[in-house]
Amino acid sequence: LYHMLSACMYQKVAVLLRDERFLGERLSFLGWEKGITTHIKDCYHFRDAMELDATIDAEPVDVVAAILVKVGNFVAAFAEEASDVTDAAKALHLLGYALADMGRYSDATAQYKTSLRMVPKASSLAGTVLYSMSTVYLARHDHEKGLKNLKECLKVMNESSEPNVLYSEALMLKADALMTHCDYRGAVEFYDFALEKLFANSANNRVEIGIALGRKARLYQVMGELDKAYKTFDECQKWKEKMDESSCDLASAYNFMGDICVERGDKKEALQLFDRAYRMYEFHRSEAEETDIHIINGKTDALHDDAEGCSENFMLALATMRASQRTMFERTAYDLRIIARTYMDSGDEERAMETFKDCLKLTNENAEASLERSAALFDMGTMHLNMKQMDPALQCFQTALKIRIVKLGESPTVIDTLLKIGYLQRDVGQLEEAVSFVNKALELTERVYDASDERVGDVLYAVADIKLNVNENVEALAMFGECLEFRRRQHSRPHPHIAAALEGLGEVHMKNGTYDKSYQCLAEALDIRQATMEPDHPDIAACFHLIGMVARKGGDCERALHFLLDSLHIRKSLEDQGDTVKTLAEIGHVHRQLHDDMSALGCYEKCVEILKDCYGPFDERLVDIYLPLGHVKKQQGVMEEANEGHSGKKLLDAAKECYEKALKIAKKQLGDDHIKTGAAFRSLGLLQYEAKNYDEALEYLGTFVKIQDSNKVKNTADYILALLLIGDINRHNGRKDEASSAFASANHAFSYSKEVAKKYPGFRQILERRLSEENDSYAPVMPTGLFARITGELGRLGEEVKASSGGIKNEPDEVELRNSILLDD
């Protein structure tokens, strides 16, 4: 035969391999197993020879497949004696395997079915054939038939009196099939079952154990349980390395572990793992897929900030993906998502969005069940969030959550998604919805995690943080305290997690006005951070910043400047412009509190310059700078007018311009109902009130109150002040009922805010004054005589004319209160 192939006698070789007499003699002489194995090998040699000959017009695989089908027909008929039937069935199974290997799945299935009819249903061989049939159905993406055959296969193997060496393989294949069919929890069950069987005889199953661990780790990764995934990949890697294995399978484990490290933010470890994966793929270049090599190179380039190299490698990877897609574990969809994430992390939103969309197209068939799709939606939501596109971000997160709830139920991934949506709802001002989501996350945490699981502390912290942001300070204080106690039990030594909980408590105390307690918490947090971190760590800078804020609010401006300048030094050295602006603005607030308006002005103007240069003229952080910048200019304008200076109006106009810029940016970036949008309306309202433009002031202040009401933030100092001023304006305009309603609302809000009463005790006297004035105006002593009635009416008319012709008179303590509230903005 080999001489005939060397002489290119292909037609004669084909005739010989199809010849029944030749085949019969071969089987009789060599026996069934050796004879059919030899015949199949000859067919492979025939195919390889034809593929190397460019003059052959026929498709080599078609020619050889036709020969194998003909051989199968002969084998089925050749088995005359009962003893031959089992051997013939085995031969047909081998022929089916060869046809499947060539991609001729229909022909392979026909051979398997014939083989299956020839053996007892409960035999070990029947289980083997059913297993092979299942692999073919799954390769054809006919998952329904594949799972049906696997169910029958495992039933036969369990009932057979003979052990089947493929039993563990069948369990793993069932897990693979369930995974591809989006039955993730079922897949975990079968991987566990397979590993249990394999470990029972680990000495003889070392290779299979490594494979099973790798697949289970991938499943955890798809399910979003990254800690479990990394731990299982690590176990897989160690098992394989213990055998001195060198394979593409091990390279894949390194690659996936690197992806997890990237997601965790561990760049150094990721680079080491990607390097290991690349070297192993290169060592097995003939077996490795080009897609994997290109993607690893692209990810490595991205981590080295080589955008051009990254893009080039990803383009090559995308080209190979289009040529050949990998459906196992939705691998091509996963690869596309990783590419999109890498683009997103490097700031290339356009390419990231395009690649995310390609990923979603691949998962359309399982749109309501694919966890890979939910992961892509979650990442897309994160990108929309980074781009300040809140509505599409929320839509992506909510769709991802629906899939995860259905496929995972009560799980860490669902908890993480609930928290993410809670944070987003908080950021867009939907505070009630935010609290609802985080409360659900906390409820699930109690059922999903063990009481000692460190993630319980993480969830407690996240929920407390949102409670703090939505002004549920009592609950926030309790939960940060619970988080602190939990983390102290977890860590016997000082740990950054303990510092974070202390900082949370410090922030709540700061918000409550208990500055001494806040300082104690933050000072302890700083000690821990300085003992466990490098001196220029960004978390130390953040702690310095918080202590500076507390010191300023507590009136210790000297201490505030000390800590804030330390924070600024670190943040500038890290070239973190966003955080640098935060601290520089806080330093500006200290100077305002010290009545050093020029220094404050310099700080704020520098902040504006940095933000515009680095992030553009509509960055939302500009709102937090334009408002205090407007306050400084307003204060300068008022003082200038009081001193009869010539630039007072110009400064007040500049203040108005700052407030209007803040309002425009807040509405554009954050929405009409956001708290910061309300703050801009409030500032404009106060400015117009003091300028005696009462109609405009009423409109601005009324809008501010509506925004506060919609966000359920009703007990703050500026909310009470706005109601007080609205009452003053309505009384000035003769609308007594509206004025009384506003004063009553202000008094009601004040009575429910201990923090405001403690920080601004003068509020009580002012409110009592207003309510007393209202009572006097509504309970006059009616004159009895005609003259008295006439003079009474004339007196009231005179008061109305006097009120309408001049401005609203404010006592000095009221002016001081307004200024102090703005000072704390």
Side-chain angles (χ1 to χ4, degrees):
L1 182 69
Y2 298 111
H3 292 299
M4 294 168 70
L5 289 174
S6 299
C8 300
M9 300 168 65
Y10 302 126
Q11 188 170 358
K12 289 188 177 296
V13 172
V15 170
L16 181 63
L17 291 173
R18 291 166 59 92
D19 186 78
E20 293 181 358
R21 182 181 173 188
F22 172 72
L23 181 59
E25 291 294 333
R26 174 171 264 183
L27 292 176
S28 297
F29 182 73
L30 296 176
W32 280 95
E33 183 176 354
K34 188 173 182 180
I36 205 69
T37 302
T38 303
H39 206 79
I40 290 170
K41 284 182 179 178
D42 287 343
C43 288
Y44 278 137
H45 289 308
F46 181 33
R47 180 199 63 186
D48 295 343
M50 285 192 293
E51 286 178 344
L52 293 172
D53 194 331
T55 64
I56 300 295
D57 293 329
E59 181 62 44
V61 171
D62 291 341
V63 174
V64 173
I67 293 171
L68 292 174
V69 170
K70 172 83 180 206
V71 170
N73 294 335
F74 171 76
V75 167
F78 189 72
E80 296 177 356
E81 300 178 12
S83 60
D84 291 338
V85 172
T86 300
D87 289 332
K90 290 179 180 178
L92 288 168
H93 177 253
L94 290 171
L95 289 167
Y97 189 87
L99 286 162
D101 185 52
M102 294 179 185
R104 304 303 292 260
Y105 298 130
S106 296
D107 293 331
T109 303
Q111 301 301 316
Y112 290 145
K113 286 182 176 179
T114 304
S115 173
L116 203 57
R117 287 194 294 268
M118 298 170 71
V119 296
K121 289 185 178 180
S123 66
S124 178
L125 180 57
T128 301
V129 175
L130 284 166
Y131 170 82
S132 297
M133 283 181 69
S134 301
T135 63
V136 169
Y137 283 131
L138 294 174
R140 291 167 57 181
H141 310 302
D142 190 343
H143 297 107
E144 189 173 341
K145 284 186 178 179
L147 284 167
K148 182 179 178 182
N149 267 270
L150 275 169
K151 183 179 179 180
E152 182 65 23
C153 165
L154 290 168
K155 180 183 176 185
V156 168
M157 288 181 175
N158 281 322
E159 293 175 353
S160 175
S161 58
E162 310 168 58
N164 195 306
V165 294
L166 289 174
Y167 184 59
S168 297
E169 291 279 351
L171 290 170
M172 279 197 285
L173 186 63
K174 178 72 177 282
D176 294 345
L178 288 170
M179 162 70 190
T180 305
H181 204 56
C182 300
D183 183 355
Y184 304 99
R185 285 177 286 187
V188 170
E189 181 183 341
F190 274 90
Y191 282 133
D192 284 340
F193 196 11
L195 282 164
E196 181 184 337
K197 296 293 180 183
L198 291 167
F199 275 118
N201 187 15
S202 59
N204 295 323
N205 293 316
R206 292 181 298 173
V207 174
E208 290 79 5
I209 288 172
I211 293 170
L213 285 170
R215 291 182 185 175
K216 185 181 176 185
R218 267 293 288 140
L219 176 56
Y220 280 139
Q221 189 179 19
V222 171
M223 293 171 71
E225 298 191 31
L226 299 187
D227 290 341
K228 284 185 178 179
Y230 191 89
K231 182 179 178 181
T232 311
F233 272 129
D234 190 49
E235 190 180 353
C236 161
Q237 156 198 285
K238 289 174 180 174
W239 196 268
K240 289 175 177 289
E241 289 173 348
K242 189 164 59 176
M243 298 185 296
D244 294 324
E245 179 178 326
S246 175
S247 65
C248 289
D249 195 46
L250 179 55
S252 291
Y254 292 143
N255 181 30
F256 291 130
M257 290 172 76
D259 289 340
I260 294 171
C261 287
V262 170
E263 197 157 348
R264 288 173 168 177
D266 191 343
K267 176 179 174 180
K268 183 178 178 181
E269 181 69 16
L271 282 169
Q272 291 175 353
L273 287 162
F274 288 149
D275 182 62
R276 285 190 212 169
Y278 175 76
R279 289 173 184 275
M280 195 157 288
Y281 277 133
E282 277 293 307
F283 189 76
H284 298 278
R285 188 81 192 210
S286 60
E287 303 167 30
E289 299 215 27
E290 290 297 312
T291 300
D292 292 325
I293 294 172
H294 293 318
I295 291 177
I296 285 174
N297 285 336
K299 291 184 293 193
T300 302
D301 287 338
L303 290 173
H304 286 301
D305 298 321
D306 180 0
E308 186 177 344
C310 171
S311 178
E312 183 180 338
N313 276 294
F314 282 164
M315 293 301 290
L316 292 170
L318 291 168
T320 58
M321 281 188 223
R322 283 189 285 270
S324 177
Q325 292 186 8
R326 298 182 281 186
T327 58
M328 177 76 170
F329 287 83
E330 295 184 301
R331 179 60 190 276
T332 297
Y334 171 84
D335 289 336
L336 286 168
R337 182 171 66 85
I338 291 298
I339 290 172
R341 277 179 62 97
T342 307
Y343 281 140
M344 177 179 74
D345 292 342
S346 63
D348 191 343
E349 287 91 358
E350 185 177 349
R351 281 181 173 167
M353 185 61 71
E354 182 183 338
T355 313
F356 276 133
K357 288 178 179 177
D358 288 341
C359 173
L360 293 179
K361 286 177 187 175
L362 283 184
T363 57
N364 276 339
E365 189 176 340
N366 294 314
E368 296 181 1
S370 167
L371 285 179
E372 188 54 56
R373 182 182 184 86
S374 80
L377 286 164
F378 191 85
D379 290 341
M380 280 182 73
T382 301
M383 188 172 75
H384 283 303
L385 191 58
N386 294 340
M387 297 167 68
K388 310 303 179 187
Q389 298 170 349
M390 300 304 189
D391 288 341
L394 187 58
Q395 185 178 354
C396 286
F397 288 142
Q398 288 176 332
T399 308
L401 180 63
K402 287 178 184 177
I403 298 171
R404 289 173 172 183
I405 288 174
V406 170
K407 303 311 297 183
L408 297 176
E410 296 181 348
S411 65
T413 306
V414 169
I415 292 171
D416 291 343
T417 312
L418 288 167
L419 290 173
K420 190 84 171 184
I421 295 174
Y423 276 116
L424 177 57
Q425 298 278 21
R426 177 204 66 186
D427 291 341
V428 299
Q430 297 175 357
L431 305 184
E432 190 172 344
E433 292 85 349
V435 172
S436 175
F437 274 101
V438 298
N439 282 339
K440 184 64 177 176
L442 186 61
E443 180 186 328
L444 287 183
T445 298
E446 295 170 354
R447 296 201 292 268
V448 171
Y449 297 131
D450 292 334
S452 60
D453 193 307
E454 66 179 15
R455 288 171 293 185
V456 173
D458 297 339
V459 175
L460 283 169
Y461 180 90
V463 176
D465 186 46
I466 289 182
K467 297 279 188 183
L468 174 63
N469 278 273
V470 300
N471 296 305
E472 293 190 5
N473 296 348
V474 174
E475 289 190 40
L477 190 65
M479 295 191 69
F480 274 128
E482 188 178 348
C483 175
L484 178 61
E485 289 178 10
F486 179 88
R487 287 178 168 175
R488 286 197 196 278
R489 291 195 302 270
Q490 287 276 308
H491 305 285
S492 58
R493 292 183 171 186
H495 192 280
H497 285 173
I498 296 174
L502 285 164
E503 287 165 351
L505 278 171
E507 288 194 67
V508 181
H509 284 304
M510 177 169 61
K511 210 167 185 181
N512 289 342
T514 49
Y515 301 120
D516 289 344
K517 290 182 179 179
S518 178
Y519 182 80
Q520 288 173 5
C521 291
L522 295 173
E524 185 181 350
L526 180 61
D527 287 342
I528 293 172
R529 293 208 180 277
Q530 289 179 323
T532 58
M533 295 174 170
E534 294 297 319
D536 60 347
H537 195 283
D539 288 346
I540 291 179
C543 198
F544 278 140
H545 180 96
L546 279 172
I547 295 175
M549 285 182 66
V550 170
R552 174 182 68 82
K553 288 175 180 287
D556 190 344
C557 292
E558 185 177 346
R559 176 186 281 177
L561 282 174
H562 169 75
F563 283 106
L564 290 169
L565 289 171
D566 283 346
S567 175
L568 184 66
H569 174 74
I570 296 173
R571 287 178 163 177
K572 286 176 72 175
S573 69
L574 295 171
E575 297 183 354
D576 187 332
Q577 303 297 347
D579 283 342
T580 296
V581 164
K582 282 183 186 177
T583 301
L584 191 57
E586 185 61 32
I587 292 171
H589 300 340
V590 175
H591 287 304
R592 276 180 60 212
Q593 199 157 317
L594 291 169
H595 305 294
D596 182 357
D597 290 343
M598 292 308 296
S599 295
L601 200 66
C603 290
Y604 296 143
E605 287 176 344
K606 185 62 178 178
C607 289
V608 170
E609 179 187 332
I610 293 171
L611 289 174
K612 281 186 173 182
D613 287 347
C614 297
Y615 307 105
F618 289 99
D619 186 80
E620 69 177 67
R621 285 166 290 196
L622 282 164
V623 176
D624 298 322
I625 308 303
Y626 278 130
L627 288 177
L629 180 58
H631 301 338
V632 172
K633 290 181 181 293
K634 172 178 166 293
Q635 183 64 23
Q636 288 181 324
V638 170
M639 291 178 65
E640 188 72 12
E641 286 194 338
N643 295 326
E644 299 183 357
H646 300 292
S647 58
K649 185 179 185 308
K650 183 178 179 182
L651 285 165
L652 291 172
D653 287 343
K656 183 182 179 184
E657 184 181 353
C658 287
Y659 294 151
E660 287 174 342
K661 285 179 179 178
L663 179 61
K664 182 178 180 180
I665 295 169
K667 291 177 76 172
K668 177 182 176 64
Q669 301 291 8
L670 302 171
D672 292 343
D673 295 328
H674 197 275
I675 291 289
K676 291 183 180 180
T677 306
F681 276 117
R682 176 217 59 196
S683 299
L684 282 163
L686 287 173
L687 184 70
Q688 297 296 353
Y689 177 87
E690 293 181 359
K692 301 180 182 180
N693 299 324
Y694 295 128
D695 289 341
E696 291 181 39
L698 190 63
E699 183 178 349
Y700 285 131
L701 292 171
T703 303
F704 165 68
V705 168
K706 287 178 184 176
I707 292 172
Q708 294 289 98
D709 285 342
S710 69
N711 286 291
K712 299 188 181 335
V713 182
K714 299 183 178 183
N715 301 330
T716 61
D718 50 358
Y719 178 80
I720 298 167
L721 176 64
L723 288 170
L724 189 66
L725 298 182
I726 287 170
D728 283 345
I729 294 169
N730 278 315
R731 187 173 64 176
H732 175 77
N733 291 338
R735 294 190 287 269
K736 293 185 177 181
D737 289 342
E738 290 89 336
S740 294
S741 175
F743 292 142
S745 296
N747 188 57
H748 179 77
F750 179 78
S751 66
Y752 279 91
S753 179
K754 293 180 181 179
E755 293 84 1
V756 174
K758 181 179 179 181
K759 188 166 186 178
Y760 304 104
F763 245 135
R764 186 181 303 280
Q765 184 178 353
I766 295 168
L767 285 166
E768 288 174 353
R769 187 187 304 154
R770 289 294 188 280
L771 292 171
S772 174
E773 291 167 354
E774 283 301 295
N775 290 334
D776 291 345
S777 67
Y778 271 97
V781 178
M782 296 299 296
T784 54
L786 177 62
F787 180 76
R789 286 200 300 271
I790 292 172
T791 55
E793 291 298 326
L794 288 172
R796 280 194 293 276
L797 181 61
E799 287 296 320
E800 289 177 9
V801 170
K802 181 180 177 182
S804 61
S805 62
I808 299 171
K809 181 182 177 183
N810 290 129
E811 298 296 333
D813 62 336
E814 297 175 18
V815 176
E816 184 181 348
L817 177 68
R818 283 203 306 270
N819 290 337
S820 64
I821 290 173
L822 277 185
L823 192 63
D824 205 31
D825 191 7

